[in-house]
């Protein structure tokens, strides 16, 4: 150290820090410098000088010292530097912690105040509406109100692109209603882009055949996509589809009146169809003969549960130009197809890439071998409900470059299958092997080298344990994995969670449902998976302490805690306080929870879109009022078994949760059938049952826990569940 650096260091640390900790500094200097006993006194006296004199004094001392004294003084200054730096860090951290606590308390107070004000505003509006209804019944009947009026806004003045985006979210029924408002709205609903896609299935219970025909005749040049799912139509109505010459996608699944004759008219008029869904219809070999003749560009075909065509009908697919451009094929439930039928498919559709064959108990390894003889481009297979497929069937697919495999409920697939996957499918990214009982830890070891794997589902594979998962995560696959489902893998414990937190930096979705050995210690390591968005801990032994730990994650959007009997209102409240972006919460069958959790959700989690409180008998109307007043984005709600809820709750939902689409309220004995019927016209899908809760809910019709189940019998004998589908519902096909 040079004299100049010595002066600079002493000036800085003396002027800024040493004065604060001089006593500690003096205690360090005096015992360390034995050669010059007056050094400590001189340095203490120098502290009284100004910086300039101190520099000169230190410079003279430095020149008079020997090399040993200089080294010793340098060491002292370095130790002083570290000590002062440590004190400075402690002061900064203490200040930051106090500030964070103040901001947290301030935010909580603001949220509470905002909640009280909004709830007060909600109730005052309700009172004004009641008073207005009593004083001015005529205005109430006509739909006008004195309270909460919305200022007028003429959306026809917006740009055409913006108007099209707004109306694109409406159903066909809503668009027709909007066209009856005024002349300017009629013009907006006649934009050609709004009629590119028409979903008649959403209004199948109210629309007439005459209306369908007139709509198709008017917009025949604009229609690109038609959805008739579940519609009961006459032959004349189906023939009108042939007017849409530019049609590209057609869904006539579940149409009981669809015949080979109507398909002939459609095929002659719409040769450009790319997507065709004929699932669960009565088509025969006559339709199979039509497909390759007219639909030469067909890429997506679904014949699921069509049982009236035979192997000969599949042979027709090779007629004319054939269906050689077919990419996706769904043959689920077509149990009449034999090995020869699959051989006919291979001869006709060599370009198939995505193959779905669910609910097919007759599907064997020979069927798969016959199919892949010429279909070597297959990249995705889905065999759910095909119990006779074994390792040999998967081995036959070795000529294909598989990227996605989905099996479920198969007892013939073993660890040898996964060894084969490791060697032959290095680019596979999706493996779904749920409920395959013969899979063990050895399978996970074989998958550890797959560098492209992002989705792994081994739910109900009960022979998997910590050893296999540890070997799986030790490989390169751990850095890419995004979704991991280990539900009902009952041998997993906290050891696996520790490994997950260390090796999975990109994990987004994690399911540990019914992993009984998972404790709060494992939850602490889940918090360290910063990329996690969704976690399922249902059926585990998580407690309030675990929820408080989980609240530190801050980024969770979905949490499932069904059947977690150790959690209480305190734990859920603590989690909600730290999870302001929560969108989905499932606390079903936790009978110990009360209205306090709903209040916490209404205060902190206002962006909630899905909530399940089924089997929570202590929830009341007052809590649901708070939820309706604050959570306006709620789409899915399950209140089955909430025996204290009444018709008032449904009225609150109608006013506050206007985006509600799915409502389940089974075993809600205090909700009348009349109120449920009115609600069914507002939501898309509704399940309602006015009976008492069944025994497996764990409590009786009064919410009291069952001590002996054989002593409690239902008061009502009718156990029918009323499932209603609104005319507003929108059925979406997922390919």
């Amino acid at each position: 150290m040079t004299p100049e650096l010595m002066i600079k260091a002493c000036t800085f640390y003396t002027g800024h820090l040493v004065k604060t900790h001089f006593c500690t500094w003096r205690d360090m200097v005096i015992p360390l410098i034995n050669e010059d006993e007056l050094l400590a006194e001189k340095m203490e006296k120098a502290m009284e000088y100004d910086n300039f004199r101190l520099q000169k004094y230190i410079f003279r001392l430095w020149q008079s010292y020997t090399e040993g004294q200089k080294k010793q003084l340098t060491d002292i200054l370095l130790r002083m530097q570290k000590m002062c730096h440590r004190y400075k860090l402690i002061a900064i951290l203490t200040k930051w912690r106090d500030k964070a606590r103040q901001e947290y308390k301030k935010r909580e107070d603001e949220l509470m105040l905002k909640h009280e004000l909004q709830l007060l505003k909600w109730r005052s509006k309700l009172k004004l509406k009641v008073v207005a209804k009593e004083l001015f019944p005529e205005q109430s009947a006509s739909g006008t109100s004195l309270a909460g009026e919305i200022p007028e806004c003429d959306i026809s003045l917006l740009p055409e692109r913006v108007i099209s985006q707004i109306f694109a979210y409406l159903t066909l029924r809503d668009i027709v209603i909007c066209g009856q408002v005024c002349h300017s709205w009629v013009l907006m609903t006649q934009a050609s882009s709004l009629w590119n896609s028409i979903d008649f299935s959403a209004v199948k219970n109210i629309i007439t055949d005459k209306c369908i025909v007139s709509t198709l005749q008017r917009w025949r040049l604009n229609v690109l996509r038609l959805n008739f799912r579940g519609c009961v139509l006459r032959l004349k109505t189906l023939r009108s589809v042939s007017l849409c010459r530019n049609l590209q996608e057609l869904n006539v699944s579940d149409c009981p009146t669809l015949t080979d004759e109507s398909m002939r008219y459609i095929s002659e008029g719409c040769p450009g169809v790319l997507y065709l869904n004929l699932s669960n219809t009565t088509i025969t070999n006559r339709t199979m003969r039509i497909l390759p003749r007219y639909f030469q560009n067909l890429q997506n075909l679904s014949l699921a549960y069509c049982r009236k065509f035979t192997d000969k009908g599949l042979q027709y697919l090779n007629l004319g130009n054939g269906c050689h451009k077919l990419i996706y094929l769904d043959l689920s439930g077509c149990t009449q197809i034999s090995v020869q039928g699959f051989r006919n498919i291979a001869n006709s559709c060599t370009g198939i890439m995505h193959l779905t064959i669910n609910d097919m108990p007759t599907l064997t390894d020979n069927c798969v071998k016959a199919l892949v003889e010429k279909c070597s481009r297959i990249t995705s297979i889905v065999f759910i409900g095909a119990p006779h497929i074994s390792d040999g069937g998967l081995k036959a697919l070795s000529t294909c470059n598989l990227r996605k495999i989905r099996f479920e409920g198969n007892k013939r697939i073993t660890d040898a299958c996964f060894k084969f996957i490791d060697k032959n499918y290095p680019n596979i990214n999706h493996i779904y092997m749920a409920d395959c009982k013969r899979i063990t830890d050895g399978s996970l070891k074989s998958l550890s080298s797959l560098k492209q794997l992002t989705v792994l589902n081994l739910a109900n594979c009960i022979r998997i344990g910590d050893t296999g998962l540890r070997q799986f995560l030790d490989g390169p696959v751990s850095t890419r994995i995004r979704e991991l489902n280990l539900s009902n893998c009952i041998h997993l414990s906290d050891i696996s969670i520790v490994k997950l937190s260390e090796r999975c930096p990109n994990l987004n979705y994690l399911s540990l449902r019914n992993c009984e050995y998972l404790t709060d210690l494992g939850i602490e390591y889940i918090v360290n998976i910063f990329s996690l968005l969704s976690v399922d801990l249902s059926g585990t032994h998580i407690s309030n302490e675990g929820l408080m730990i989980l609240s530190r994650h801050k980024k969770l959007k979905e949490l499932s805690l069904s059947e977690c009997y150790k959690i209480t209102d305190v734990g859920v409240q603590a989690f909600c306080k730290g999870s302001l972006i929560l969108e989905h919460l499932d606390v079903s069958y936790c009978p110990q929870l009360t209205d306090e959790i709903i209040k916490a959700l209404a205060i902190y989690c206002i962006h909630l879109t899905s909530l399940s409180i089924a089997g929570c008998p202590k929830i009341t109307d007052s809590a649901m009022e708070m939820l309706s007043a604050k959570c306006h984005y709620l789409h899915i709600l399950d209140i089955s078994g909430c025996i204290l809820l009444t018709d008032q709750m449904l009225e609150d939902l109608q006013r506050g949760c206007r985006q509600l689409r799915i409502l389940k309220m089974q075993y809600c004995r205090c909700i009348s059938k009349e109120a449920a019927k009115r609600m069914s016209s507002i939501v898309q899908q509704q399940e309602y049952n006015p009976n008492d809760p069944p025994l497996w809910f764990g409590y009786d019709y009064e919410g009291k826990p069952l001590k002996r189940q054989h002593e409690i019998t239902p008061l009502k004998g009718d156990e029918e569940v009323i499932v209603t589908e609104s005319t507003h519902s929108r059925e979406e096909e997922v390919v």
Side-chain angles (χ1 to χ4, degrees):
M1 178 181 288
T2 62
E4 291 78 9
L5 292 177
M6 173 70 178
I7 293 172
K8 186 176 181 180
C10 289
T11 302
F12 178 79
Y13 287 102
T14 302
H16 295 82
L17 298 174
V18 178
K19 290 182 181 179
T20 308
H21 309 286
F22 176 70
C23 294
T24 307
W25 172 80
R26 181 181 56 191
D27 295 338
M28 291 177 57
V29 171
I30 292 176
L32 288 175
I33 305 179
N34 298 322
E35 297 181 5
D36 191 354
E37 298 179 355
L38 298 178
L39 176 62
E41 296 180 4
K42 292 179 180 179
M43 294 297 291
E44 185 175 357
K45 185 177 180 181
M47 292 291 295
E48 300 176 358
Y49 294 175
D50 57 18
N51 289 338
F52 179 74
R53 294 181 180 179
L54 181 62
Q55 292 177 11
K56 294 175 62 178
Y57 180 77
I58 292 175
F59 186 76
R60 289 198 301 270
L61 281 176
W62 182 265
Q63 289 181 333
S64 63
Y65 280 177
T66 62
E67 292 298 327
Q69 290 176 327
K70 290 180 180 179
K71 184 178 179 182
Q72 194 172 15
L73 186 59
T74 303
D75 294 339
I76 292 172
L77 290 173
L78 290 175
R79 293 183 63 183
M80 290 170 55
Q81 179 182 0
K82 292 179 181 179
M83 179 189 66
C84 295
H85 183 64
R86 182 165 63 92
Y87 282 132
K88 186 177 181 180
L89 284 179
I90 292 174
I92 292 174
L93 289 175
T94 303
K95 184 178 179 181
W96 176 83
R97 183 182 58 190
D98 295 340
K99 185 177 180 181
R101 286 177 177 175
Q102 292 177 0
E103 291 181 354
Y104 179 80
K105 189 176 183 307
K106 181 180 178 182
R107 188 200 68 177
E108 190 171 352
D109 293 340
E110 290 177 351
L111 288 174
M112 287 294 296
L113 180 60
K114 185 178 180 181
H115 169 73
E116 296 296 337
L117 291 175
Q118 289 183 345
L119 192 60
L120 183 63
K121 185 178 179 181
W122 163 275
R123 290 171 176 169
S124 62
K125 281 186 177 182
L126 180 60
K127 290 180 180 179
L128 286 174
K129 288 181 180 179
V130 172
V131 173
K133 187 175 181 180
E134 293 176 354
L135 296 178
F136 307 101
E138 298 83 3
Q139 291 185 2
S140 300
S142 62
T144 58
S145 176
L146 297 178
E149 294 184 354
I150 302 175
E152 295 183 0
C153 177
D154 188 1
I155 66 171
S156 62
L157 301 178
L158 296 174
E160 183 178 353
R161 180 177 57 85
V162 177
I163 295 174
S164 299
Q165 290 181 352
I166 294 174
F167 279 89
Y169 291 99
L170 303 180
T171 64
L172 178 62
R173 180 177 182 272
D174 296 331
I175 292 176
V176 173
I177 294 174
C178 290
Q180 300 174 355
V181 175
C182 61
H183 180 69
S184 61
W185 281 55
V186 171
L187 296 177
M188 288 188 292
T189 57
Q190 291 180 355
S192 59
S193 59
L194 294 178
W195 301 95
N196 290 339
S197 178
I198 305 178
D199 186 4
F200 289 108
S201 66
V203 291
K204 61 185 178 183
N205 295 325
I206 60 174
I207 197 168
T208 62
D209 288 60
K210 182 179 180 180
C211 183
I212 294 176
V213 173
S214 62
T215 302
L216 293 179
Q217 287 178 345
R218 181 173 184 179
W219 303 104
R220 58 186 182 276
L221 299 179
N222 302 98
V223 175
L224 301 177
R225 293 174 291 275
L226 283 177
N227 186 359
F228 289 104
R229 181 178 181 180
C231 296
V232 181
L233 306 173
R234 295 183 301 175
L235 176 61
K236 181 180 179 181
T237 306
L238 290 170
R239 288 177 61 179
S240 64
V241 177
S242 61
L243 299 174
C244 305
R245 299 287 181 177
N246 298 319
L247 189 65
Q248 296 181 4
E249 298 181 12
L250 176 62
N251 184 351
V252 287
S253 60
D254 300 316
C255 291
T257 56
L258 182 72
T259 62
D260 296 328
E261 185 68 16
S262 56
M263 277 303 303
R264 183 176 66 85
Y265 285 109
I266 294 174
S267 59
E268 290 176 354
C270 308
V273 171
L274 303 176
Y275 167 90
L276 181 61
N277 191 339
L278 300 173
S279 60
N280 200 20
T281 57
T282 58
I283 62 166
T284 66
N285 290 343
R286 291 180 59 191
T287 297
M288 302 300 290
R289 185 191 292 266
I290 292 172
L291 293 180
R293 183 180 302 174
Y294 295 100
F295 297 137
Q296 299 176 7
N297 296 317
L298 191 63
Q299 297 180 2
N300 190 312
L301 176 63
S302 177
L303 299 172
Y305 307 102
C306 296
R307 295 189 172 95
K308 291 195 174 183
F309 69 88
T310 63
D311 294 340
K312 187 176 182 180
L314 295 172
Q315 188 177 5
Y316 291 149
L317 295 178
N318 201 25
L319 297 177
N321 293 325
C323 296
H324 301 303
K325 295 183 180 180
L326 202 63
I327 296 176
Y328 175 90
L329 180 62
D330 188 352
L331 297 173
S332 300
C334 298
T335 54
Q336 76 276 14
I337 303 177
S338 65
V339 176
Q340 182 59 41
F342 283 99
R343 192 172 287 114
N344 293 336
I345 295 174
N347 293 329
S348 308
C349 313
T350 57
I352 293 177
M353 299 178 64
H354 307 284
L355 182 64
T356 301
I357 309 179
N358 298 328
D359 300 327
M360 193 81 157
T362 58
L363 187 67
T364 62
D365 293 343
N366 292 330
C367 297
V368 177
K369 292 176 182 178
L371 184 64
V372 299
E373 286 179 358
K374 297 183 179 180
C375 298
S376 59
R377 298 181 183 179
I378 296 177
T379 61
S380 169
I381 58 171
V382 182
F383 294 158
I384 297 176
H388 296 294
I389 296 294
S390 66
D391 297 337
L394 198 61
K395 186 177 180 179
L397 291 163
S398 60
T399 57
C400 307
N401 185 19
L402 287 182
R403 295 178 181 271
K404 177 181 177 180
I405 298 177
R406 287 176 65 94
F407 284 86
E408 185 174 344
N410 191 299
K411 297 181 180 180
R412 295 193 175 189
I413 290 186
T414 65
D415 293 343
C417 164
F418 287 88
K419 293 180 181 179
F420 200 78
I421 291 175
D422 178 28
K423 294 179 180 179
N424 294 275
Y425 311 125
N427 297 322
I428 195 167
N429 54 41
H430 186 122
I431 296 179
Y432 182 103
M433 292 282 191
D435 200 21
C436 297
K437 305 297 183 183
R438 299 182 65 181
I439 294 177
T440 66
D441 288 341
S443 300
L444 286 174
K445 183 178 180 181
S446 302
L447 298 178
S448 61
S449 60
L450 298 175
K451 297 181 181 180
Q452 304 298 325
L453 188 63
T454 58
V455 179
L456 178 63
N457 189 329
L458 297 176
N460 300 321
C461 297
I462 57 177
R463 300 177 68 181
I464 290 177
D466 293 330
T467 303
L469 189 60
R470 184 172 63 251
Q471 293 173 341
F472 172 76
L473 295 176
D474 283 336
V477 66
S478 60
T479 58
R480 294 293 299 273
I481 198 76
R482 290 170 48 194
E483 299 182 25
L484 186 60
N485 190 337
L486 300 171
S487 300
N488 295 311
C489 296
I490 56 177
H491 298 296
L492 296 178
S493 65
D494 295 337
I495 299 174
S496 299
I497 309 304
V498 175
K499 199 70 176 179
L500 278 173
S501 65
E502 295 174 353
R503 301 285 298 170
C504 299
N506 297 312
L507 189 64
N508 297 141
Y509 302 93
L510 175 64
S511 178
L512 299 171
R513 177 183 287 263
N514 296 328
C515 294
E516 299 176 353
Y517 295 109
L518 182 66
T519 65
D520 292 338
L521 180 61
I523 302 300
E524 189 170 352
Y525 287 95
I526 289 180
V527 176
N528 296 329
I529 309 177
F530 302 112
S531 59
L532 203 60
L533 300 176
S534 173
V535 61
D536 188 349
L537 301 173
S538 301
T540 62
H541 295 296
I542 183 175
S543 64
N544 288 340
E545 183 180 354
L547 279 179
M548 292 177 184
I549 295 172
L550 197 61
S551 67
R552 301 203 301 260
H553 192 280
K554 307 294 184 184
K555 294 183 179 180
L556 282 180
K557 293 185 177 181
E558 300 178 2
L559 177 65
S560 296
L561 298 170
S562 179
E563 299 183 65
C564 293
Y565 300 108
K566 289 188 176 182
I567 64 173
T568 64
D569 295 340
V570 177
V572 178
Q573 285 175 324
F575 175 78
C576 291
K577 288 181 181 180
S579 305
L580 301 183
I581 62 172
L582 188 68
E583 296 179 1
H584 168 83
L585 179 64
D586 182 0
V587 288
S588 56
Y589 308 106
C590 297
Q592 68 275 16
L593 301 180
T594 67
D595 288 350
E596 294 299 320
I597 66 164
I598 305 297
K599 181 179 179 181
L601 289 171
I603 295 174
Y604 304 105
C605 306
I606 60 176
H607 300 291
L608 202 67
T609 60
S610 176
L611 174 64
S612 177
I613 50 175
C616 298
K618 298 180 181 179
I619 304 298
T620 64
D621 287 342
S622 60
M624 297 305 295
E625 181 188 16
M626 287 187 286
L627 186 75
S628 303
K630 296 293 295 294
C631 299
H632 303 302
Y633 305 104
L634 199 63
H635 293 167
I636 303 173
L637 178 62
D638 189 353
I639 54 173
S640 301
C642 296
I643 55 176
L644 299 180
L645 298 180
T646 65
D647 296 350
Q648 180 62 43
M649 180 272 305
L650 295 181
E651 295 180 7
D652 293 334
L653 288 177
Q654 292 179 28
R655 284 192 296 269
C657 302
R658 299 187 178 181
Q659 297 187 25
L660 190 64
R661 299 176 182 174
I662 300 176
L663 177 61
K664 299 180 181 180
M665 44 184 183
Q666 299 182 31
Y667 314 115
C668 295
R669 60 195 307 269
C670 294
I671 297 178
S672 64
K673 292 184 178 181
E674 293 75 15
K677 186 176 181 180
R678 290 194 300 269
M679 194 67 186
S680 65
S681 63
I682 298 175
V683 297
Q684 294 180 5
Q685 182 179 341
Q686 177 176 293
E687 297 180 11
Y688 170 67
N689 189 330
N691 302 324
D692 295 329
L695 299 179
W696 55 269
F697 267 59
Y699 54 87
D700 60 14
Y701 65 94
E702 294 180 348
K704 297 179 181 179
L706 296 178
K707 296 182 180 179
R708 299 184 202 173
Q709 292 187 352
H710 64 273
E711 294 181 358
I712 308 298
T713 56
L715 296 181
K716 301 180 182 180
D718 184 16
E719 292 295 331
E720 181 183 0
V721 178
I722 302 174
V723 180
T724 59
E725 185 177 344
S726 172
T727 55
H728 295 272
S729 65
R730 181 187 298 272
E731 301 286 347
E732 296 181 357
E733 287 296 311
V734 180
V735 178

